[in-house]
Each structure stands twice: as structure tokens, then as C-alpha cells.
Amino acid sequence: MGSNKKEDLMSKQYAVIGLGRFGGSVAKTLHDMGYEVMAIDRDPQRVQDFAQIVTHAVEADSTDENALKALGIRNFDVVVVAIGEDIQSSIMTTLILQDIGVEKVVVKATNDLHGKVLFKVGAYKVVYPERDMGVRVVHHLISPNILDYIELADDYSIIEVSAGDYFVGKTLEELDIRAQFGCNVMAIKSGNHINIAPLAGDRIQRGDILVVIGHNNDLKKLEERA
């Protein structure tokens, strides 16, 4: 069952509209991971730059409905709209993709108001790369042991914590992170090994990384201890 799901995932086709820093990074990363990717931009130079990086690179105006239809955009499982500062084009493109019938449209927003409008015109998911990166940087600043921070919802996140003195030498049972902080340890990384089902008796070694999920308020308490 699991392998079938993975095959389904790998057979998905992605389109990325807008090849700036964020869109270009998304397109390249998806292609590097083995997915079929069509990259679209109205700038011929950017399209040329990505011709050898993705499956297909196409010069087109994403606010032209006929142009998108001609590319067969409806056949893509996910379309990422990564248009930069041109908010009007971003909203128009999202609206057109919704009208055409693209099931999942993921759109980059520059601010909360932009994001609210995108949801209203049918975006499946809205991402805030600048804001999210800012949040990650702050978490790194306030706690050097926090290696990564992923926001799951408004109130819940996942963090990766480098095992400091508070953790080293103790078992998960002794740490009792759920009782102490209200968080759950999802996995423990030890070098190249990842323990995705840690047991109460597993002892934390120096250099280990704990992957922890929880409410943001609870994670903050854990960060302060870490």
C-alpha cells in the first residue's frame, strides 16, 4: 500500500509559474527529486536559464487564459504560482487556474492581505516564503540549538532540536517531554540513522537531533530549555 502511494506521488506532474528566486528554487528542487516539472515565465532569459534544469521551460504570460490552456495546464496535479511583486498578476493567474479546473493551486503571497485574496479566488494553499524564513531566522537566533522550524498551522509546528546538556544521557522516559512541555518527540536523528519510532527507553546521545511536534506555546518552553 505504501509503495503504491509513493509511486502515485512520484508520477505527479508539477508546473511552476514565475522563475524568480523562490519559484526557481521550487522548480529545481522538485526536478532534482525526480518529478516532472514545467517551468513558466514571461521573461525569455529566465526560461532559457531553466531549459536544462527542468523537464520543460516555456515562455508564456500566465494572465492569458488561452496561453495556459494551450500548455495543457489543467493536466498538472499541482501548479505553484510564484510570481514576485506583481500582486495583480498573481491573483489573476490564480483565478484563471481555478476557472480552468486545476485541482491544487499553491500560491506565494507577499503579505496577509494578498494571502486572504488568494484564498478567496480559489488558492488551495498559500505560502509566505519571506515571512516563514523570517520566523525560522528568529528561532535560530533565540535558541542556537534549534536547527529547523516548520509551521504546520497557525498554532502548531515541528522543530528540530540539537541535543544539549538538558537532553544528553537521559532516556525519553526520564525527559518525559510530553508531561514537561506538552510536546511529542516524533523521531531521533543520530548521524545518518533516523529512529522514526523512538521508545521510552531510548537514551539521547550528544550530537543527536530530536524532531518534536507541538503547540507553539509549548515548543517555546522547550526551546528556552534547549
Side-chain angles (χ1 to χ4, degrees):
M1 185 74 74
S3 61
N4 288 339
K5 282 184 180 177
K6 189 172 182 182
E7 285 166 15
D8 290 344
L9 191 66
M10 290 308 289
S11 66
K12 279 190 173 180
Q13 294 180 311
Y14 292 82
V16 178
I17 299 174
L19 297 175
R21 186 181 298 175
F22 174 69
S25 174
V26 170
K28 183 178 185 304
T29 303
L30 282 168
H31 188 260
D32 288 348
M33 291 173 71
Y35 297 104
E36 189 170 324
V37 181
M38 176 186 280
I40 302 164
D41 200 288
R42 64 175 69 178
D43 183 337
Q45 184 57 53
R46 283 183 178 173
V47 172
Q48 189 176 328
D49 290 344
F50 277 83
Q52 304 301 318
I53 295 174
V54 297
T55 318
H56 305 288
V58 182
E59 181 187 343
D61 179 358
S62 63
T63 62
D64 181 342
E65 185 171 349
N66 292 326
L68 291 182
K69 283 181 176 176
L71 293 174
I73 202 80
R74 190 169 184 266
N75 299 322
F76 286 83
D77 300 282
V78 181
V79 178
V80 179
V81 180
I83 296 170
E85 296 304 313
D86 190 344
I87 291 176
Q88 186 174 332
S89 291
S90 164
I91 294 168
M92 191 72 177
T93 300
T94 305
L95 190 57
I96 290 170
L97 292 169
Q98 177 67 17
D99 284 345
I100 289 173
V102 177
E103 194 173 323
K104 292 183 178 177
V105 182
V106 178
V107 195
K108 169 191 171 182
T110 53
N111 55 53
D112 287 336
L113 182 59
H114 183 196
K116 284 178 183 176
V117 175
L118 291 170
F119 273 124
K120 284 186 183 297
V121 298
Y124 170 76
K125 183 177 175 63
V126 174
V127 294
Y128 302 86
E130 285 87 1
R131 185 190 72 183
D132 292 347
M133 183 53 68
V135 170
R136 286 186 175 194
V137 168
V138 168
H139 279 267
H140 291 308
L141 290 174
I142 62 174
S143 178
N145 287 348
I146 302 301
L147 303 179
D148 205 354
Y149 177 94
I150 302 167
E151 187 177 342
L152 296 177
D154 287 343
D155 298 322
Y156 289 86
S157 304
I158 296 173
I159 60 172
E160 288 190 353
V161 188
S162 177
D165 292 339
Y166 177 76
F167 300 100
V168 173
K170 300 187 182 82
T171 65
L172 288 180
E173 185 175 22
E174 288 166 347
L175 287 167
D176 203 359
I177 287 173
R178 184 184 294 183
Q180 295 290 329
F181 304 100
C183 308
N184 287 307
V185 177
M186 298 168 58
I188 300 172
K189 298 181 181 180
S190 302
N192 293 324
H193 175 71
I194 302 178
N195 178 0
I196 58 170
L199 303 172
D202 288 345
R203 195 171 298 279
I204 309 300
Q205 309 295 329
R206 191 165 297 280
D208 283 356
I209 296 168
L210 280 64
V211 182
V212 185
I213 185 171
H215 191 282
N216 291 342
N217 291 339
D218 296 327
L219 290 172
K220 187 179 178 185
K221 294 173 192 169
L222 180 67
E223 287 181 32
E224 288 169 354
R225 183 61 61 93

